[in-house]
Amino acid sequence: MRMDRCCFLIILSILTSGVFAQGTALPIHLNSIGYLPDMPKAATVTSACADFAVRSAADHKTVFSGKVTGPVHQDDLNLDAWTADFSAFTSPGTYYLEVPGLGRSCNFKIDKAVYNDAFHAVMRGFYLWRCGTAVEGTHNGIRCAHAACHLDDAYQDYIGQPNVQRDGVGGWHDAGDFGKYTVNAGVTMGVLFMAWDQYQAKLKTLKLDLPDTEPGLPDFLNELKWEIDWLLKMQYPDGSGRVCHKLTRQHFSAFIMPETDHEKRFFTDWGSAATADFTAIMAMAARYFEPYDSTYAKTCLDAALNSYKFLKENPDNKRPDLKDFTTGGYGTSDPDDRLWAAAEVWQTTGDLNALNDFETHARDRRRLIEADWDWGSVANLGMFTYVTSTRPGRDPNLVNDIRRALLDMADTLVAQARADIFARPMGRRYYWGCNGTVARQAVILLTAHKLQPKPEYLNTALDAVSHLFGRNYYGRSFVTGLGHLPPMHPHDRRSGADGIDAPWPGYLVGGGTTATNWQDIQDDYRTNEICINWQSALVYALAPFLSR
Ligand code: 9MR
Ligand code: ZN
């Protein structure tokens, strides 16, 4: 390469990578999407400092200045940290933080609609995950697309019909792999329906630019329907009400595009956790689709009640037989799933037997509210439905105990965020997919907020959002295509195989399994994959902060 061309390319790549304009991962860690005018605003600085200034991005004028507080030492990160609080500054605009001696942060916005675009991209992530159809989208001028995939889903060899196909087309791919798993669909749909339940006023008019909008059906529900339509196909065709644990190949594919993945995929053996999660989702779907499409709601309700009847007649925990499969396991015991199913069936129908089932399960639990909850632990969803219900007949003592446990847990999260230099509300726990749990803390906080409004609950939910968009150890956004220095190499087959430099946009990566080991490397599926259950939690966490 000639020298002048080489220099030009270096300068161009510096400019386009944002290094020149935005700074690399500087010691100033903040929510790189930005802040709401009337909410708290803070950044974490990890080098010694005294003062800071907020400056206008356009003309570099100082619009606010202050003194940092600190330092505070955090052991697991081995860092000293200072906090720059600029909550008092509320004027909309585009700014950066300047810390004398250290430099400047990336640009960020203050605006009442500051999270609207991010929400749109994150929710569109579900659309882009659609299986059984062609999808496409353009983000920041870059187009991502794939042709219709997995149209042969799926074979019934493992449910007693060797070499016989039945329609299992549709749904969302689970993650960076192309499998479809009932149990993980459970917590995902549960959290998405909770977002709808609590933030419907904001979500109702939201446009997702879907190719298949239906008049009168909000886009948000339309996208959820894509998954429900598929889930309905996961019930056994024999009418028994059992539900297949998953629909996948026997082994993960290489990094190929989904439309070139032609290996056989199978409906697998049923499991009682999958059957219970299916029941809960269908009962919720019946409730939330009723105002828009009562025929569809009835289909969902019938499916829920059929599976619920089966669960009642078959009380044992049944793990699926998956010995021929090495795709995702999602192995989990079922008491929490049965509890959740009972709560949703009761909430939808008012059936007192289901209420009694829920209360019996709830009284059996060691802890009423779990801090670390995810696909393997969905009891919280049932507890939230029960404790916020306006239906008559609940046991007042149990209501009180759950309410207390929920408020205590929310208070714990507030305290943990305050004790963390990056305001991470879940304490010092790190594991596979914990970024999803960070976002999912918002469900605890905002359900507590519904029972007993407290600004700290809302603020801490926003802390979770800020953490994921850059106020973290890495000073980077954890969401592809959004914010400062986002992941470029997620463990996502589409992103790895489509030949385009940018990853598919709007996806939250799992995050470090220790305090400091996240790497933006495609092979690192433990820390850098994307997944529907984490994504749904981010949708929920952003929803209360939308401007409508
Ligand atoms: O999110 C799952 C995580 O909690 C488990 O520890 C891990 C290992 O079983 O599996 C994760 O789920 C993966 C699933 O098995 C297959 N699709 C991708 C999921 C995210 O990595
Ligand atoms: Zn597919």
Side-chain angles (χ1 to χ4, degrees), residues 25 467-470 472 474-478 484-488 518 520:
H467 185 85
L468 298 173
F469 283 110
N472 56 47
Y474 311 93
R476 296 178 61 174
S477 166
F478 279 124
H484 184 55
L485 296 175
M488 292 302 286
W518 171 60
D520 183 19

Side-chain angles (χ1 to χ4, degrees), residues 103-433:
R104 50 161 292 173
S105 72
C106 62
N107 285 347
F108 61 86
K109 283 189 179 147
I110 296 180
D111 193 282
K112 70 177 177 25
V114 76
Y115 304 123
N116 283 24
D117 288 349
F119 185 91
H120 183 263
V122 170
M123 195 57 210
R124 281 212 16 120
F126 283 101
Y127 156 70
L128 292 173
W129 251 320
R130 285 186 186 188
C131 182
T133 188
V135 298
E136 61 136 348
T138 301
H139 181 83
N140 292 341
I142 300 170
R143 184 172 176 274
C144 290
H146 72 67
C149 56
H150 303 118
L151 297 172
D152 289 333
D153 282 355
Y155 285 85
Q156 301 187 98
D157 302 45
Y158 292 93
I159 60 168
Q161 305 259 358
N163 230 8
V164 179
Q165 259 172 298
R166 178 169 58 85
D167 176 15
V169 174
W172 300 315
H173 300 135
D174 184 56
D177 68 312
F178 301 136
K180 302 190 287 201
Y181 306 81
T182 308
V183 165
N184 201 37
V187 70
T188 302
M189 295 303 289
V191 168
L192 290 172
F193 274 132
M194 280 201 68
W196 177 254
D197 187 84
Q198 296 177 350
Y199 300 106
Q200 215 169 119
K202 290 173 187 270
L203 299 177
K204 223 174 212 155
T205 52
L206 178 93
K207 292 279 166 265
L208 292 173
D209 307 310
L210 304 175
D212 56 350
T213 51
E214 281 182 37
L217 184 64
D219 275 8
F220 187 90
L221 285 184
N222 192 50
E223 191 49 44
L224 270 55
K225 187 169 181 289
W226 185 266
E227 181 78 346
I228 298 165
D229 286 346
W230 161 69
L231 274 163
L232 285 165
K233 304 174 184 178
M234 291 300 276
Q235 245 181 350
Y236 271 40
D238 62 4
S240 63
R242 295 173 288 177
V243 178
C244 299
H245 186 74
K246 63 182 181 180
L247 191 167
T248 71
R249 304 167 28 138
Q250 288 177 325
H251 311 290
F252 286 125
S253 73
F255 268 58
I256 55 175
M257 290 303 279
E259 64 269 38
T260 61
D261 176 18
H262 292 302
E263 204 167 287
K264 269 190 171 180
R265 296 171 26 125
F266 301 95
F267 288 97
T268 72
D269 189 22
W270 70 284
S272 52
T275 303
D277 293 345
F278 173 94
T279 305
I281 301 166
M282 290 305 160
M284 288 181 113
R287 262 196 331 268
Y288 297 119
F289 279 89
E290 175 60 34
Y292 300 99
D293 184 345
S294 57
T295 312
Y296 190 65
K298 173 85 169 51
T299 302
C300 295
L301 184 61
D302 290 348
L305 296 181
N306 185 25
S307 288
Y308 198 59
K309 180 163 170 287
F310 178 86
L311 286 170
K312 296 274 290 174
E313 288 164 359
N314 297 274
D316 292 342
N317 182 39
K318 156 74 165 69
R319 288 183 179 270
D321 177 354
L322 303 171
K323 62 176 173 314
D324 287 351
F325 293 82
T326 57
T327 51
Y330 291 120
T332 172
S333 60
D334 74 8
D336 55 308
D337 308 83
R338 285 176 185 263
L339 172 150
W340 180 34
E344 301 306 344
V345 168
W346 166 67
Q347 176 69 4
T348 301
T349 64
D351 174 12
L352 294 178
N353 292 317
L355 174 61
N356 184 52
D357 294 342
F358 169 83
E359 291 181 336
T360 307
H361 278 296
R363 290 187 199 105
D364 272 357
R365 305 238 9 125
R366 253 188 315 132
R367 275 189 303 273
L368 291 172
I369 298 292
E370 303 282 349
D372 296 271
W373 60 294
D374 198 346
W375 57 267
S377 170
V378 291
N380 280 3
L381 288 168
M383 300 290 183
F384 298 154
T385 294
Y386 177 80
V387 79
T388 57
S389 178
T390 53
R391 280 197 179 279
R394 297 177 300 172
D395 169 358
N397 292 326
L398 184 60
V399 171
N400 215 34
D401 290 349
I402 296 172
R403 184 188 154 87
R404 198 57 272 150
L406 173 54
L407 297 176
D408 285 351
M409 182 61 76
D411 291 338
T412 300
L413 301 182
V414 170
Q416 284 174 173
R418 283 191 183 143
D420 186 284
I421 61 172
F422 297 117
R424 187 177 187 265
M426 68 179 279
R428 310 280 153 86
R429 299 189 305 284
Y430 293 87
Y431 46 78
W432 194 329

